[in-house]
Amino acid sequence: MRKRASDLVLRKLLTSVSAAAICSGCSLLFHADANQCSSTSDCVAHGFANYTCEVETGTCIASMPSMDGSMQSGPDSSTSMEASVGVIDAAQVPEAGPEAAPPPPANYCTSASDCLGTAEHSEVYCDLDINQCIQLTTDDCPYVSPQDLPAFYQNAAIQPIVIGAFATIPTQGITTHPSTLNYDLALGEFETQGGIQVGGQLRYPVAVVCNDTADPVSVVSHLVNDVHVEAIIAALPSTGIKTAFAAANLNASTPPIFFMNPFGADTSITPPALTTNGLLWHMLGEPSDTAAAYAAFFPYVERYVRNSTTIGNGAPDAGSRPIRVATFTAQATDLLDLQAAVDSVLTWNGGQTITQNMQTGNFLDVEFPKSTLNGDTIASADVSTAVTALTAFQPDIVISFASEEFITLIQTLEEPTGSGTPPHPFYLLGPYNVDSTDVLTSWIGLNGGFAGDAKRARTAGVAFASTPNSSVLSGYNQRFLNAYGTGDEPFLNAENYYDAMYFTVYSLVGAGPNVTGTNIGTGMTKLITPAGDPQNVGPTDIPNVEADLEAVKTTTVALTGTLGPPDFNLNTGARVSQGDVYCFNKYLPDAAAPYQPYYDFDALRLVPTGGTATLPNGASDTYPDGGPIMGLDGGAPPLEGTFDCYSGMFP
């Protein structure tokens, strides 16, 4: 998973727009029964061409043909019919009186003015394809993206195409998290282009944004049954994705819905465990993709710990004493997949495997029964049993195969309790710790002098790498900062949300004239063809991608995103990713001033196979001390970059 924001500064980056302001001038739902009126023109306006308005009752009633020129509304009830008239043909018998018009379907509309939302949720529109008022927002789905007043509210000639999207919605406001900011940025770029062709019509792509803590089944029901979306961006843990996907697609009686996951895949949400039929795609890779980065970085961590007197069991010896390694494994599928992949490649103590180190008492795996990736809360994370086991084991290195619960472990493990000396190991965090603010604020903390440096110098991590030397990524970064301010730079590194929206919108375009979930999935495959027309996400190439994907054409696209080239596993739907190393740096290196720690991502990268280690500017790969990074055996460097969070990792 790559929610790559550290959330150092929780600021409201966009001006909130109240529900009333968003739909100023809209009314949803007929103001009364559908056939009520105050004049005949009201009846005509609502589709009752052969009706007149009975002002006394305010009802549209059917106009009756007269029996003769003098009788306009049927025979006078006081006038008897003479017997000589004979039997009247039943077809000529007038009805006893005027008949009220049958009401049109519920929520019938012909324009936005026919629709009226609630006081809490006024974000509505008239879907002219079905002449229905659509209530977009609810308590679980409180936001319509983009934030500015969408043009479809004013221009009925251009209908929206609505996408469902989960996001993190903090209590400080929906715009204090990078998920919605990125949705707004991407959709705003489509809006400035005047919309995009979907199903043979010009449409504005719009997202109904729903809280990732809400019940996914309830949210999917609203998005599919009320809003009629064909695509959902499921920014959820894998358990939530599986639940939402099952609710939408594992019922044979309902049409399929396309799903895009901004995060990584795992074995529970990819075939064969989950039959996806091309309806579920993942912007990031599988946990196993990061294993090579663990294998490359861990020898440096071992050497660093051996040479330190303040980490683990101390006493530097340059390699002779056995190093003790522990893993903390929470029980979520992503984490178990990660553990299995990394365990198979880690070696230490002279190249011994985990099995060999376990036999000599130098490895311990501590299992933890819960995880925030499964929806468990931090409050329920009782780590006391794990702390007891680790205190007895006294590890030199602890590896996190966990999420936010690992930060609770760190805080508890190092709190003196009087029942033994708490260990002070090196912590190797993982991809599922990169969105934790607690590791920064609660453990490392905002410090003066070097009070927190000792903790920073005992921590690093492995995560999914961003794409290197990318003009697409740098262009996105600049547009993001232009939109939200340079002071919000910590919200960068969450470009996976932005790419997820772009790939979803373009998949809708590529679906052709019949926009169904299955065809949207086919549209996704048109974007990731290596031999396709090279295009990039971002506003510049929107007309080009649209032209390539027009229904009458067979052109495919090789769409490069901020995350890199479109390299996807067509079986699992996951991007083929790579791991890299991150660490914790500080904004103010002055020892006399307080500093604010932050995640320093992409500090070290794997050297491409057969490649040469170089810095992004093309210079030789050297570190601040001037020494080249070499493999520990003196061979070719397995990593490249600048690890400047603290000294000693690469002496």
Side-chain angles (χ1 to χ4, degrees):
M1 183 172 66
R2 175 136 178 253
K3 296 163 107 178
R4 293 283 303 273
S6 57
D7 286 346
L8 299 179
V9 183
L10 293 177
R11 295 179 51 195
K12 198 162 190 179
L13 304 179
L14 297 177
T15 303
S16 296
V17 177
S18 68
I22 290 178
C23 198
S24 176
C26 297
S27 50
L28 182 69
L29 306 179
F30 251 28
H31 44 57
D33 292 339
N35 63 332
Q36 287 192 344
C37 61
S38 58
S39 67
T40 298
S41 61
D42 290 341
C43 302
V44 175
H46 293 125
F48 302 119
N50 296 318
Y51 290 73
T52 59
C53 180
E54 185 179 73
V55 178
E56 293 83 357
T57 63
T59 303
C60 295
I61 60 175
S63 299
M64 303 292 295
S66 60
M67 295 182 64
D68 59 36
S70 64
M71 194 174 294
Q72 298 299 319
S73 58
D76 188 339
S77 58
S78 64
T79 305
S80 62
M81 302 290 291
E82 292 184 341
S84 61
V85 173
V87 178
I88 301 176
D89 188 280
Q92 298 178 346
V93 176
E95 294 183 8
E99 179 180 310
N107 300 341
Y108 178 87
C109 64
T110 58
S111 69
S113 62
D114 294 331
C115 301
L116 178 64
T118 66
E120 296 81 10
H121 302 293
S122 61
E123 298 85 357
V124 298
Y125 83 103
C126 178
D127 186 338
L128 296 180
D129 292 335
I130 57 175
N131 291 110
Q132 286 282 291
C133 291
I134 303 298
Q135 177 69 56
L136 297 173
T137 54
T138 64
D139 289 347
D140 288 340
C141 302
Y143 184 71
V144 176
S145 179
Q147 187 189 39
D148 67 325
L149 196 62
F152 73 80
Y153 285 126
Q154 287 79 41
N155 188 353
I158 302 179
Q159 286 276 85
I161 182 74
V162 184
I163 299 165
F166 285 87
T168 299
I169 303 178
T171 56
Q172 295 87 353
I174 196 166
T175 58
T176 60
H177 191 272
S179 51
T180 307
L181 296 181
N182 277 282
Y183 296 155
D184 277 346
L185 182 63
L187 292 172
E189 289 171 354
F190 284 107
E191 186 179 358
T192 59
Q193 293 290 321
I196 198 162
Q197 290 288 332
V198 177
Q201 299 182 48
L202 186 63
R203 303 279 195 170
Y204 282 115
V206 175
V208 173
V209 181
C210 305
N211 201 325
D212 59 9
T213 61
D215 174 29
V217 174
S218 175
V219 169
V220 166
S221 176
H222 169 65
L223 293 175
V224 174
N225 298 322
D226 301 334
V227 185
H228 311 303
V229 304
E230 303 287 350
I232 296 174
I233 298 177
L236 295 167
S238 59
T239 53
I241 291 173
K242 187 173 183 179
T243 300
F245 187 85
N249 290 316
L250 299 188
N251 184 346
S253 65
T254 58
I257 302 297
F258 176 85
F259 274 68
M260 176 63 73
N261 171 20
F263 308 141
D266 66 42
T267 55
S268 73
I269 52 176
T270 54
L274 182 65
T275 301
T276 60
N277 295 320
L279 292 169
L280 175 57
W281 296 81
H282 313 272
M283 278 292 101
L284 301 179
E286 301 175 74
S288 57
D289 290 347
T290 64
Y294 278 91
F297 185 52
F298 200 71
Y300 295 103
V301 173
E302 180 185 0
R303 184 180 64 181
Y304 177 70
V305 170
R306 288 185 180 281
N307 290 333
S308 172
T309 60
T310 59
I311 299 177
N313 295 297
D317 56 16
S320 60
R321 71 178 177 89
I323 291 288
R324 292 183 179 180
V325 176
T327 54
F328 179 75
T329 309
Q331 303 302 293
T333 303
D334 309 70
L335 303 167
L336 294 172
D337 288 354
L338 178 66
Q339 178 199 37
V342 175
D343 281 0
S344 68
V345 299
L346 280 192
T347 61
W348 71 96
N349 289 337
Q352 295 183 58
T353 64
I354 278 185
T355 300
Q356 292 169 325
N357 277 293
M358 183 184 299
Q359 292 170 347
T360 57
N362 293 311
F363 173 72
L364 174 70
D365 178 46
V366 178
E367 294 186 354
F368 188 70
K370 298 183 177 182
S371 175
T372 55
L373 297 186
N374 291 333
D376 297 316
T377 63
I378 294 296
S380 67
D382 181 1
V383 297
S384 57
T385 300
V387 167
T388 299
L390 291 171
T391 300
F393 183 65
Q394 291 289 304
D396 296 286
I397 302 169
V398 178
I399 302 174
S400 169
F401 297 135
S403 184
E404 195 74 7
E405 56 274 4
F406 187 69
I407 311 308
T408 301
L409 175 78
I410 292 177
Q411 294 170 300
T412 309
L413 179 64
E414 298 201 356
E415 183 69 27
T417 62
S419 58
T421 303
H424 292 85
F426 184 95
Y427 296 108
L428 184 59
L429 277 62
Y432 304 94
N433 300 123
V434 298
D435 198 39
S436 172
T437 57
D438 280 345
V439 70
L440 300 171
T441 59
S442 300
W443 188 59
I444 294 176
L446 183 65
N447 294 286
F450 294 110
D453 283 0
K455 294 178 180 179
R456 290 193 309 105
R458 290 193 285 118
T459 313
V462 174
F464 291 104
S466 64
T467 185
N469 308 324
S470 170
S471 59
V472 179
L473 177 58
S474 61
Y476 154 82
N477 287 340
Q478 189 58 56
R479 292 194 304 277
F480 187 95
L481 295 177
N482 287 344
Y484 304 126
T486 56
D488 297 305
E489 195 166 355
F491 282 116
L492 294 175
N493 300 307
E495 62 271 13
N496 46 313
Y497 294 105
Y498 178 85
D499 275 11
M501 185 59 74
Y502 257 91
F503 274 84
T504 300
V505 171
Y506 282 146
S507 295
L508 288 164
V509 177
N514 187 15
V515 184
T516 65
T518 299
N519 290 341
I520 299 168
T522 301
M524 176 67 184
T525 65
K526 295 178 182 179
L527 302 172
I528 56 176
T529 305
D533 187 20
Q535 302 289 351
N536 301 325
V537 299
T540 301
D541 284 349
I542 289 176
N544 300 330
V545 176
E546 183 179 357
D548 286 341
L549 296 177
E550 284 180 4
V552 296
K553 296 184 178 180
T554 59
T555 306
T556 57
V557 176
L559 183 64
T560 295
T562 63
L563 298 169
D567 186 7
F568 284 80
N569 183 321
L570 297 182
N571 179 49
T572 65
R575 180 184 291 276
V576 178
S577 298
Q578 176 177 289
D580 68 2
V581 176
Y582 65 89
C583 53
F584 297 92
N585 220 324
K586 61 182 181 180
Y587 281 115
L588 296 174
D590 185 350
Y595 67 80
Q596 190 171 43
Y598 67 95
Y599 284 86
D600 193 347
F601 292 110
D602 305 316
L604 298 175
R605 298 178 180 274
L606 290 170
V607 175
T609 302
T612 302
T614 57
L615 293 173
N617 63 5
S620 298
D621 191 353
T622 59
Y623 281 74
D625 60 6
I629 296 265
M630 301 298 291
L632 292 183
D633 59 359
L639 297 166
E640 61 177 344
T642 304
F643 192 95
D644 58 359
C645 291
Y646 46 85
S647 62
M649 184 63 72
F650 297 98

